[in-house]
Amino acid sequence: HMLYYEAGGAWAVAGVGLRPVRNDARGRLDAAEVEARVRPDNEHFPRTAMIAVENTQNLCGGAVLGEEDLAPLRTIADDHGLRLHMDGARLFNAAVKLGVPVSRLAAYADSVSVSLSKGLGCPVGSLLCGSSEFVHEARRARKMLGGGMRQAGVLAAAGLYALQNMVHRLADDHDNARVAAKGLADIPGVTLDPAPETNMVYFQADRWNAAALAARLSAEGVLCFDEPGGRVRWVTHYGIERVDVEEAVGVAASVIRAGP
């Protein structure tokens, strides 16, 4: 996410260069390739300081990185004196999918960001977690960027409620995504890209341009958008019930069969 989006903020705001490493279709990094990307201590090169991963992996259809994927990266970070940051916007989805406490996955990282406003259903808000020293510096950086908020307690209250009451229901979103995927796969000409692991469904339809299909579906009340690579993305979340998923699939079937 920080590589493709955020308007180049890492470069422009933090003065940090990003060096991508290929991932497979499930968002997993090859440890050998990651280690090969660590620059040697040479005055001609910028210093490598951190490994960043995303869990779940958005563009890989909400794919989950488990402990077996994170442990080798932690080892590389320790061997080379690097930090490991986890963009965990949907980290609770990953934990529910794997059936492990979220702390098990977070333990591999030095810092973790988590969205409260996605699967947890909070109206707004995210968390940045790390050591007390790290958070102290992050607060200073937030203030420098104009991110300090007055009277934010009402938002914090919603975030606490989300953490205490909304995690267990993420499995319902995963189930609904599988129902959506099965229904879409039954429509002639539709291909899942890939099959969902959590709450995100990506698909393509023959004869349809993804942007045109997303616009048509949205006009019919099924809100979605197109993604890079010609895919349409659906996301299940709090407030989307099974009957809504079935209705959305029905609308999609009608629109896709009618053609562009």
Side-chain angles (χ1 to χ4, degrees), residues 82-95:
L82 311 178
R83 301 292 181 92
L84 197 157
H85 174 71
M86 187 182 301
D87 175 354
R90 299 176 177 85
L91 186 58
F92 282 95
N93 290 88

Side-chain angles (χ1 to χ4, degrees), residues 93-111:
N93 290 88
V96 168
K97 168 67 175 179
L98 296 171
V100 301
V102 70
S103 57
R104 286 265 293 273
L105 301 178
Y108 290 93
D110 296 287
S111 57

Side-chain angles (χ1 to χ4, degrees), residues 13 17 42 61 98 137 180 206 217 222 249 255:
V13 177
N42 186 306
L98 296 171
E137 291 303 313
D206 293 348
L217 289 174
V222 180
V249 169
V255 167

Side-chain angles (χ1 to χ4, degrees), residues 7-109:
W11 287 278
V13 177
V16 171
L18 303 181
R19 197 177 194 201
V21 179
R22 296 182 305 164
N23 55 261
D24 67 13
R26 282 200 57 255
R28 296 171 297 195
L29 301 175
D30 181 89
E33 289 196 35
V34 172
E35 190 152 30
R37 288 289 191 175
V38 178
R39 295 186 187 272
D41 185 9
N42 186 306
E43 64 185 15
H44 295 90
F45 304 133
R47 293 188 180 100
T48 301
M50 185 176 75
I51 300 170
V53 296
E54 185 175 297
N55 200 12
T56 64
Q57 228 285 0
N58 182 351
L59 293 182
C60 292
V64 172
L65 298 182
E67 294 184 80
E68 69 281 4
D69 305 309
L70 298 171
L73 303 180
R74 180 71 262 171
T75 298
I76 294 170
D78 291 340
D79 288 347
H80 293 276
L82 311 178
R83 301 292 181 92
L84 197 157
H85 174 71
M86 187 182 301
D87 175 354
R90 299 176 177 85
L91 186 58
F92 282 95
N93 290 88
V96 168
K97 168 67 175 179
L98 296 171
V100 301
V102 70
S103 57
R104 286 265 293 273
L105 301 178
Y108 290 93

Side-chain angles (χ1 to χ4, degrees), residues 6-245:
E6 308 299 352
W11 287 278
V13 177
V16 171
L18 303 181
R19 197 177 194 201
V21 179
R22 296 182 305 164
N23 55 261
D24 67 13
R26 282 200 57 255
R28 296 171 297 195
L29 301 175
D30 181 89
E33 289 196 35
V34 172
E35 190 152 30
R37 288 289 191 175
V38 178
R39 295 186 187 272
D41 185 9
N42 186 306
E43 64 185 15
H44 295 90
F45 304 133
R47 293 188 180 100
T48 301
M50 185 176 75
I51 300 170
V53 296
E54 185 175 297
N55 200 12
T56 64
Q57 228 285 0
N58 182 351
L59 293 182
C60 292
V64 172
L65 298 182
E67 294 184 80
E68 69 281 4
D69 305 309
L70 298 171
L73 303 180
R74 180 71 262 171
T75 298
I76 294 170
D78 291 340
D79 288 347
H80 293 276
L82 311 178
R83 301 292 181 92
L84 197 157
H85 174 71
M86 187 182 301
D87 175 354
R90 299 176 177 85
L91 186 58
F92 282 95
N93 290 88
V96 168
K97 168 67 175 179
L98 296 171
V100 301
V102 70
S103 57
R104 286 265 293 273
L105 301 178
Y108 290 93
D110 296 287
S111 57
V112 179
S113 57
V114 178
S115 288
L116 304 176
S117 57
K118 292 187 168 66
L120 299 185
C122 197
V124 65
S126 296
L127 302 175
L128 180 63
C129 310
S131 68
S132 57
E133 294 81 8
F134 171 81
V135 171
H136 176 77
E137 291 303 313
R139 287 180 182 275
R140 181 178 295 275
R142 182 185 66 180
K143 178 63 70 174
M144 186 184 299
L145 295 171
M149 296 183 67
R150 303 289 184 268
Q151 291 80 44
V154 64
L155 299 179
L160 288 171
Y161 182 90
L163 289 170
Q164 293 165 0
N165 297 278
M166 301 296 283
V167 175
H168 69 279
R169 58 153 306 281
L170 293 177
D172 297 337
D173 296 339
H174 299 176
D175 289 341
N176 283 335
R178 284 190 288 270
V179 169
K182 183 179 184 305
L184 288 167
D186 288 339
I187 303 171
V190 170
T191 303
L192 298 178
D193 186 17
E197 289 190 36
T198 50
N199 67 323
M200 306 177 77
V201 182
Y202 286 88
F203 65 95
Q204 297 175 312
D206 293 348
R207 299 188 297 137
W208 277 96
N209 171 274
L213 178 56
R216 183 74 64 83
L217 289 174
S218 295
E220 296 293 331
V222 180
L223 300 182
C224 56
F225 56 83
D226 60 301
E227 284 276 350
R231 305 179 298 176
V232 174
R233 187 180 88 157
W234 285 5
V235 177
T236 54
H237 52 76
Y238 179 68
I240 302 294
E241 305 294 341
R242 182 65 53 86
V243 64
D244 302 313
V245 172

